[in-house]
Amino acid sequence: MRTGIFTTVAVTALAAAPALAQQAADAVAPEAAAGGVFESASDAVQASLAAKADGRPVEAENWMIAAANPHAVEAGAAVLRAGGSAADAMVAVQTVLGLVEPQSSGLGGGAFLVWYDGATGEMTTLDGRETAPLAATPTLFQNENGEPLKFFDAVVGGRSVGTPGTPALLAEAHRRWGRAPWPSLFDAGIGLAEGGFAVSPRLAGLVARDAERLGRFPATADYFLPDGAALQAGATLKNPAYAETLRILASEGAAGFYGGPVAADILRGVQTAPGNPGVLSAMDMTLYQVKERPTVCASYRAFEVCGMGPPSSGALTVGQILGMAGEYDLAAMGPDSAEAWRIIGDASRLAFADRGRYMADSDFVPMPTEGLVDADYLASRAALLAGEAALDSVAPGSPEFDHALLFADDESIELPSTSHISIVDQYGNVLSMTTTIENAFGSRLMVRGFLLNNELTDFSFRSHRDGVPIANRLEPGKRPRSSMAPTIVMQDGKPVLAIGSPGGSRIIGYVAKSIIAWADWGMDVQQALALPHAVNRFGTYDVEDGTAAAGMSEALTGMGFEVKPRGLNSGLHAIAIGGTLKGGADPRREGIALGG
Ligand code: GLY
């Protein structure tokens, strides 16, 4: 067993996880531990919660799910036990998450899905990202002087709502890879919505914190602030409107969402939002399509790290960080070495510089996608890390690109929310899906029992800088750049790890760190997720408050970094595949892994 600052925390987590979980919960309140609310859950859920508290992965032979809420994981597990595929289970998990974790993802949002097919050995990535309305313009988030709106002035209301993609993605995944009857996949969500479920501490805490914004819209206020008071943890909550929406989806498929009364209510909600209406139209709903995208893979050590390409920056930026870090012997340095974290932190800054310059929806702007993860390019960028101190400044590089084009660096704000689902089924299929309504509670508009996204605020609020266009500017029909990084790691052509996280643009750092911890530092999947976070995107080194990562502050400051201890609220869910399946759930949130 290694000793030292980082492993001490990881090992401490193993020995005394409740203390660490409490510590993390305090640091990132209101992401409280789930204790109490799931006391009546099944023995399997109790065992899984206990494993997480002890810092152990959950082990199983045939199938595994890791996701953000025990109700959702149980729903997916029931599908897998009955012979369903990972795609079937995902539909059940997502529809329950939209009920019990409504602030993070749901029918009103979008998602990216990475699929490894156990029968063919092929990997597929599906883009269920929201689209900008056709009537939207690049100045949507600017005031009359052309200056960017304040973030929450843009978020709250109809203006930020993009065409939802999640319902179409569920249907497309089921069409391609489903085995179970589509209507059966909604039973768990309908049952819980009608019968009621216990409000989790995390949901209750977030409602209390956001009460003013949630209170602006009657349907939202009635649900989250009944009789004017924020929902309490442990209270039984029913959502008959959501059950009715799920029944429509179950019987009519995605068409029942993109047309008919559900679509009409969405459009009315967006277009008449008091103070901040939006321009989403029936045409946007009719035209919405899930897109299959080329998988983006980057080499790291003996692995290929594969995930979602544009319009997500996830796989490219994770791949760049790993590609640069892979030029250095992190394994020899170990997790307690400030030198290792200097390399990871500055590799991340370099990757984020490229992200801000080049990455956006490649259907609208040319992108040097292959050049960005080219091994020679990354080796040349990695050479910049050869010194001993933090880089004074970073700038985008010049990846190989078949266009002569000038882009300016972007300006977009992404706050953490979102949810991640990892599933392996008995047929050898692997699913990694990150799903979101963007900000916690999205636009705060609630329609038919679910919240609508504010995904359009993932676009750059500015369209140009000094007359030069920004790649991630808003354009009609375009998909906002994402940081979501649903990932499947391959070795010798076989999947060995499914992983992803919420966390806004910090998703990228959380996923990269966990892969390094697992691949280089010999940690099991639960240890890798629990390892304290240190994340650098734009210069400031965020270190996880109240953990041993914050103990790195002096060393990192001495190297020239600006360091900020803070809560770093990831929600990593991962499954390691090899021999048995090992599932891990982030101790910072309420999720579990469950296997069979
Ligand atoms: N809205 C979070 C993301 O797409 O990165």
Side-chain angles (χ1 to χ4, degrees), residues 6 27-28 341 506 532-536 540-554 556-557 561-568:
F6 269 82
V28 297
W341 291 97
R506 291 192 185 87
H533 291 311
V535 177
N536 199 328
T540 302
Y541 220 137
D542 297 324
V543 291
E544 192 169 5
D545 213 3
T547 75
M552 297 283 282
S553 298
E554 202 178 317
L556 293 171
T557 303
F561 288 106
E562 181 193 335
V563 179
K564 184 173 178 198
R566 53 170 297 150
L568 289 172

Side-chain angles (χ1 to χ4, degrees), residues 131-468:
T131 55
L134 294 175
T137 70
T139 58
L140 187 73
F141 297 125
Q142 296 173 14
N143 66 18
E144 56 283 4
N145 301 319
E147 288 302 313
L149 296 179
K150 287 188 191 148
F151 184 67
F152 281 106
D153 290 347
V155 165
V156 180
R159 187 192 300 243
S160 63
V161 179
T163 321
T166 298
L169 182 64
L170 303 189
E172 180 62 14
H174 182 263
R175 187 187 70 75
R176 290 178 183 236
W177 304 303
R179 288 172 168 256
W182 168 259
S184 70
L185 304 176
F186 297 84
D187 290 348
I190 292 169
L192 276 170
E194 288 181 339
F197 64 95
V199 172
S200 77
R202 177 167 188 260
L203 173 56
L206 287 167
V207 169
R209 193 173 73 177
D210 204 58
E212 187 279 321
R213 293 186 194 105
L214 295 171
R216 291 186 205 173
F217 306 107
T220 319
D222 287 350
Y223 187 68
F224 291 108
L225 310 164
D227 302 318
L231 288 172
Q232 297 295 303
T236 300
L237 185 61
K238 296 183 182 180
N239 190 341
Y242 187 67
E244 179 55 24
T245 304
L246 292 186
R247 284 192 205 286
I248 293 171
L249 266 174
S251 63
E252 299 178 32
F257 182 92
Y258 290 93
V262 176
D265 283 358
I266 292 171
L267 298 177
R268 190 176 312 113
V270 169
Q271 293 167 3
T272 65
N276 204 10
V279 294
L280 191 71
S281 73
M283 182 67 85
D284 296 310
M285 298 292 280
T286 303
L287 292 179
Y288 187 81
Q289 282 186 337
V290 172
K291 296 193 176 184
E292 181 174 337
R293 304 284 190 182
T295 306
V296 167
C297 296
S299 299
Y300 185 62
R301 318 281 184 211
F303 306 102
E304 288 290 301
V305 179
C306 298
M308 196 71 225
S312 186
S313 62
L316 286 170
T317 315
V318 169
Q320 283 206 328
I321 294 169
L322 295 177
M324 286 182 256
E327 297 290 316
Y328 296 87
D329 192 353
L330 298 183
M333 294 175 201
D336 309 313
S337 152
E339 173 67 356
W341 291 97
R342 178 189 69 77
I343 290 164
I344 295 167
D346 268 348
S348 180
R349 288 170 67 198
L350 289 167
F352 269 83
D354 276 3
R355 174 183 175 275
R357 174 70 59 89
Y358 297 112
M359 299 185 201
D361 182 348
S362 54
D363 285 350
F364 284 74
V365 291
M367 265 189 61
T369 304
E370 286 168 18
L372 284 165
V373 284
D374 175 76
D376 291 341
Y377 172 65
L378 292 179
S380 72
R381 295 284 276 171
L384 299 173
L385 307 174
E388 293 180 351
L391 296 173
D392 285 338
S393 61
V394 299
S398 300
E400 195 165 302
F401 196 5
D402 53 12
H403 276 72
L405 196 69
L406 194 56
F407 282 142
D409 297 340
D410 79 344
E411 184 168 309
S412 45
I413 305 161
E414 293 168 58
L415 298 180
S417 58
T418 309
S419 205
H420 182 79
I421 304 165
S422 293
I423 308 179
V424 176
D425 67 23
Q426 63 178 291
Y427 312 105
N429 302 308
V430 182
L431 176 148
S432 181
M433 171 169 146
T434 312
T435 175
T436 189
I437 55 170
E438 216 301 290
N439 196 242
F441 303 100
S443 65
R444 279 68 175 177
L445 291 176
M446 195 163 193
V447 174
R448 287 183 171 256
F450 60 89
L451 287 159
L452 296 176
N453 71 83
N454 66 295
E455 215 69 54
L456 301 186
T457 60
D458 273 359
F459 283 115
S460 173
F461 283 23
R462 287 188 197 277
S463 59
H464 292 70
R465 194 181 288 282
D466 299 328
V468 178

